[in-house]
Amino acid sequence: MSVVVNVLTSASSIVAYDGRAINKETNAIKSEHTKKAQSINKYTIIGYIGLLEEANHLVSLLQSDADINELRCDQVVSRVLAHYRQSGLSSANTSYLLTGLNTDGRLGTYTINKQFNVDAHVPINKEIKLTSLFSDNNTIDFTTFFSRYYMKAKPCDIMKQYINAVAEIDESVNKNVRFITLHLSDFGLRL
């Protein structure tokens, strides 16, 4: 089912994910290098776990929206929900993590679960917000893992170690870790 993790501060948002895709019907590995996070526009990164075809369809719908390049992260969250409402589905097979610059000029991360509940994570001052999407097979808490190594390693190194640890216990996850990052300075903004 995959793992997507996010480390968010007032200055940056880092998303990391594994690369394994599993065939839902046969449980066979389809790919070891699947893209599970990408930029929707210059303001927003979307990551996902669950049914890859559903996520790719949603991303395609978002990218075809005429105004998508102007939407901030919180507006893209609303657009995701609108696309699902238009499809008439009462639940999804995919969970989403969206992170980026909000309409208030701050970085934030939002998760959308399979029942379309949204959780918002916006750091205050020097606070670090940790967010993860993962399968039921994962028993390693990202916040606890990150806290254990925070003073000893860089966030990207900890995120990679975490995904590698999850890969040891969850067959739906591999150790092909990729990253995608946004910085507040990318938008000419400072703290």
Side-chain angles (χ1 to χ4, degrees), residues 149-182:
Y149 297 104
Y150 179 61
M151 297 308 245
K152 303 171 191 169
K154 295 178 183 177
C156 286
D157 294 337
I158 301 169
M159 296 166 86
K160 184 174 183 173
Q161 290 171 10
Y162 173 77
I163 292 173
N164 287 338
V166 171
E168 294 292 330
I169 62 167
D170 185 346
E171 292 180 0
S172 70
V173 175
N174 70 12
K175 296 181 180 183
N176 294 334
V177 180
R178 292 170 136 183
F179 296 91
I180 187 167
T181 304
L182 285 175

Side-chain angles (χ1 to χ4, degrees), residues 66-128:
D67 62 345
I68 195 66
N69 289 330
E70 305 307 317
L71 298 181
R72 301 290 180 99
C73 186
D74 47 339
Q75 295 169 314
V76 175
V77 169
S78 296
R79 191 62 58 88
V80 168
L81 298 173
H83 280 296
Y84 270 104
R85 272 194 306 276
Q86 289 172 356
S87 71
L89 294 174
S90 60
S91 65
N93 295 301
T94 307
S95 297
Y96 298 94
L97 180 150
L98 292 94
T99 187
L101 190 68
N102 294 337
T103 51
D104 63 3
R106 297 172 60 198
L107 292 175
T109 294
Y110 302 84
T111 56
I112 304 173
N113 70 13
K114 293 178 180 182
Q115 289 71 43
F116 309 121
N117 297 314
V118 178
D119 286 321
H121 312 268
V122 180
I124 300 169
N125 299 324
K126 296 187 181 206
E127 185 179 28
I128 298 174

